[in-house]
Amino acid sequence: MHRRFPPLPVWLTRPNRWDLVAAALVFGGLASVIVAAREMRVSLEILDATPIALDPAALPGYAARTTLRTFAALALSLTFTFAIATLAAKSRRAEKILIPLLDILQSVPVLGYLSFTVVLFLGLFPGSVLGAELAAIFAIFTSQVWNMTFSLYQSLRTVPHDMEEAAVAFHLSAWQRFWRLEVPFAVPGLVWNMMMSMSGGWFFVVAAEAITVGTHTIDLPGIGSYVALAIAERDLAAVGAALVAMLVVIALYDQLMFRPLVAWADKFRMGETAAAEAPRSWLLTLLRRTRLVRSTGTSLRRRVHAIAMWRPAWRAVGVPLSRAARTRIADLLYYGTLTVVALAGAGLAVALASGIGTAEILHVLRLGLFTLLRVAALMAVALVVWVPLGVLIGLRPRLAERLQPAAQFLAAFPANLLFPLAVVGIVHFKLDPDIWLSPLMLLGAQWYILFNVIAGASAVPNDLVEAARSLHVRGWLWWRKVMLPGVFPYVVTGALTAWGGAWNASIVAEAVRWGDTHLVAQGLGAYITLHTEAGDQARVALGVIVMCLFVVILNRLLWRPLYDTAARRFQLR
């Protein structure tokens, strides 16, 4: 009989050659972050003295700065997601405030956030690039966070009943149920939405890195500023170099971060049988072959497990009030907060849009209807195209592996880079900009649908898929009875965030330029863009308010009922 000895302490574990490779990757990444972060604290005068250059040799440094901003925004988005989505899913009263508020915040364009946050951050760090960097990170955060928040909120509301009953049977506390049941159930969808958020940050990075304060423009070193300068100077070679740099960066963080996350998240897939094909990651395989890293990971996992299984030793102190009295107090606080927020928002809207006549307001509402028609038509096309393709990819992990970097690159592709083709084609063939500029709005928004449908299809229990195959359920019956009910909550989440993304994209898609040639479509996005360039803050505020109004009304009338239907009828039992 062999005697088992306890594992050696981490500091006594002897590393192997795979540990050396892992250490090189870790220290190389840390060195890049430190160098890029150090450059964020220089003076604004140094930034003015070294303007953006279209030299391809500068692209690696620009790419590192942009990547650091997007990852900083992603960390902030994760923090926000776990706080707000959990509160909205767990508290009925908080949900009634937070979900409409998220609808409004999602509909505010990136330019709208930049217009009032730039002065705040620059005032906090006067004379330092750090203020402009924080403003850019916050702008990228606003393009990343909403789909992640809605994804976690949707997952927390659609946890299968049998899993909840198991948690009750094992007497799990609310804290234990959250970390041992609800978060693992939400992980696959959240990982795919993190990928989409990174790509969404790249889509708006051009606007985030060129910050305008009055008549002065601060161009932060990054790929976004490089692309903006290349478009202004009509330098196609520089545009191509920027695309190559983006492709390299996306491929790197796909291999080093998202592919391992997808492979790791596969263990949280529901069902008693394993999938025929499991996602793979060479980095995850490398880490499993290490000795020191695995020993460190084992120690870390024990601590994480202990935190997840923590149970408070104290008991809640009873409040000497009846249940009815506590309900009345909570309702009073809820409706009081709602009234204060509504009055503050209405007062701010009136102050920002003061001095604008009724005719101008009606004109902006009419422009909003034009943009609404474009968004609705494009959303219908995107759903018809990407739902079947997303299911096809999500059910085949090996296919998802091959297509994952390409999907991230296409989702990150800035619409600005297609302006030359759009402008030249529309001018050459004498096409109507009101029609042919519309597809540019869908470039960034459609991927929210694809990524969420892939997450939904990959989360469908393999038992269900195998049962349908055994019973020879095929064709439309398979879609209606098996797959569409399984992915419906994810489709709604993707469509909701794509809806807000399409409205946001209208700002860059309805008014485009290439050199001295300008094309403008009738719509709310063009109205906001033109008045932003003119510095008319009152009309920019009016355009943003009307856009928020359209998005919130449609969310209340269409998307929120669909959300409730997904949580009520299409929940795995």
Side-chain angles (χ1 to χ4, degrees):
M1 182 175 179
H2 296 283
R3 183 180 176 185
R4 295 189 64 184
F5 293 94
L8 290 173
V10 172
W11 57 274
L12 286 178
T13 304
R14 183 179 178 182
N16 58 17
R17 66 178 184 274
W18 303 109
D19 284 300
L20 299 179
V21 178
L25 290 172
V26 170
F27 287 116
L30 288 176
S32 301
V33 170
I34 291 170
V35 171
R38 185 178 59 188
E39 294 177 355
M40 289 183 174
R41 298 188 61 87
V42 300
S43 169
L44 279 174
E45 297 177 355
I46 296 177
L47 196 63
D48 293 334
T50 55
I52 302 297
L54 294 183
D55 183 3
L59 273 173
Y62 292 162
R65 294 285 291 272
T66 298
T67 305
L68 183 59
R69 292 183 193 110
T70 53
F71 272 102
L74 186 68
L76 184 60
S77 298
L78 271 175
T79 304
F80 182 95
T81 293
F82 273 92
I84 300 302
T86 303
L87 184 59
K90 298 292 184 182
S91 170
R92 179 182 61 85
R93 292 186 180 88
E95 180 185 36
K96 291 182 179 297
I97 295 177
L98 292 176
I99 297 303
L101 187 59
L102 288 173
D103 289 339
I104 296 172
L105 293 174
Q106 179 190 217
S107 63
V108 176
V110 173
L111 289 178
Y113 286 109
L114 275 173
S115 63
F116 68 85
T117 57
V118 169
V119 176
L120 171 65
F121 285 115
L122 289 178
L124 290 175
F125 302 94
S128 173
V129 175
L130 186 58
E133 291 283 357
L134 292 177
I137 290 171
F138 184 80
I140 297 171
F141 158 80
T142 62
S143 67
Q144 290 182 342
V145 68
W146 316 121
N147 61 302
M148 293 170 58
T149 304
F150 282 117
S151 172
L152 183 60
Y153 167 74
Q154 168 253 317
S155 296
L156 294 179
R157 289 194 60 191
T158 56
V159 174
H161 290 309
D162 56 349
M163 296 176 67
E164 291 182 339
E165 291 170 359
V168 173
F170 283 107
H171 303 287
L172 298 183
S173 66
W175 173 265
Q176 293 168 337
R177 185 167 60 249
F178 179 73
W179 290 110
R180 301 295 294 172
L181 167 63
E182 294 167 345
V183 170
F185 177 74
V187 160
L190 188 59
V191 167
W192 280 95
N193 274 280
M194 286 169 62
M195 275 192 267
M196 184 60 234
S197 291
M198 283 293 291
S199 297
W202 281 95
F203 190 83
F204 288 103
V205 79
V206 175
E209 290 182 349
I211 299 173
T212 302
V213 183
T215 58
H216 182 61
T217 299
I218 302 173
D219 291 319
L220 294 171
I223 291 184
S225 299
Y226 186 96
V227 168
L229 182 60
I231 291 173
E233 297 190 2
R234 305 178 72 168
D235 191 334
L236 290 177
V239 170
L243 280 179
V244 172
M246 282 181 57
L247 180 60
V248 170
V249 170
I250 291 171
L252 283 174
Y253 69 63
D254 173 71
Q255 292 291 324
L256 298 177
M257 177 179 173
F258 287 121
R259 186 157 296 185
L261 280 176
V262 170
W264 169 76
D266 187 64
K267 70 179 183 178
F268 300 116
R269 180 172 180 155
M270 291 182 57
E272 297 180 1
T273 61
E277 296 180 353
R280 300 169 301 177
S281 165
W282 64 267
L283 181 60
L284 207 56
T285 303
L286 182 149
L287 293 176
R288 286 168 180 163
R289 291 176 178 174
T290 60
R291 187 176 297 153
L292 181 61
V293 173
R294 282 194 66 187
S295 180
T296 305
T298 301
S299 176
L300 182 62
R301 277 197 302 272
R302 290 197 188 101
R303 287 173 171 80
V304 171
H305 179 78
I307 293 173
M309 294 304 293
W310 170 77
R311 187 186 293 270
W314 65 83
R315 294 183 178 180
V317 179
V319 180
L321 291 174
S322 66
R323 183 182 181 87
R326 291 198 300 270
T327 301
R328 284 195 298 271
I329 293 174
D331 285 339
L332 182 63
L333 291 174
Y334 164 70
Y335 288 113
T337 303
L338 197 61
T339 302
V340 170
V341 171
L343 290 176
L348 180 62
V350 171
L352 290 174
S354 60
I356 297 177
T358 305
E360 180 76 5
I361 295 174
L362 294 176
H363 171 65
V364 175
L365 290 172
R366 184 174 65 86
L367 293 178
L369 289 174
F370 287 139
T371 302
L372 172 63
L373 292 175
R374 290 193 186 98
V375 172
L378 293 171
M379 285 291 298
V381 172
L383 286 169
V384 170
V385 171
W386 292 116
V387 170
L389 287 178
V391 169
L392 175 68
I393 296 170
L395 292 178
R396 294 165 176 80
R398 300 290 170 81
L399 179 62
E401 278 182 28
R402 291 192 288 269
L403 296 181
Q404 192 173 307
Q408 290 185 72
F409 177 72
L410 292 173
F413 194 93
N416 314 56
L417 300 186
L418 287 181
F419 288 178
L421 293 176
V423 172
V424 171
I426 291 172
V427 171
H428 179 74
F429 293 104
K430 297 182 173 59
L431 301 175
D432 186 356
D434 287 334
I435 297 175
W436 294 99
L437 286 179
S438 300
L440 295 177
M441 296 168 58
L442 203 57
L443 282 178
Q446 62 187 343
W447 307 107
Y448 291 104
I449 298 173
L450 176 63
F451 279 64
N452 275 279
V453 174
I454 292 174
S458 63
V460 171
N462 196 54
D463 303 350
L464 186 60
V465 177
E466 291 295 333
R469 185 179 293 115
S470 300
L471 295 173
H472 304 288
V473 178
R474 299 186 181 92
W476 173 240
L477 182 63
W478 181 81
W479 281 99
R480 185 165 57 90
K481 292 296 186 181
V482 179
M483 193 49 58
L484 285 181
V487 301
F488 185 77
Y490 297 86
V491 172
V492 174
T493 299
L496 175 61
T497 48
W499 174 261
W503 280 92
N504 252 302
S506 68
I507 294 176
V508 296
E510 289 183 345
V512 303
R513 66 173 63 189
W514 176 242
D516 297 329
T517 305
H518 293 217
L519 292 178
V520 178
Q522 292 189 74
L524 194 53
Y527 181 89
I528 293 173
T529 299
L530 295 176
H531 287 292
T532 299
E533 294 174 353
D536 191 339
Q537 295 300 320
R539 283 173 170 76
V540 171
L542 175 63
V544 171
I545 291 168
V546 171
M547 183 174 286
C548 293
L549 185 66
F550 271 97
V551 174
V552 170
I553 289 175
L554 266 297
N555 284 357
R556 291 290 97 192
L557 296 179
L558 175 63
W559 300 114
R560 196 52 49 198
L562 286 176
Y563 237 116
D564 294 336
T565 300
R568 186 177 63 255
R569 294 187 55 193
F570 297 99
Q571 185 175 8
L572 290 171
R573 304 293 176 179

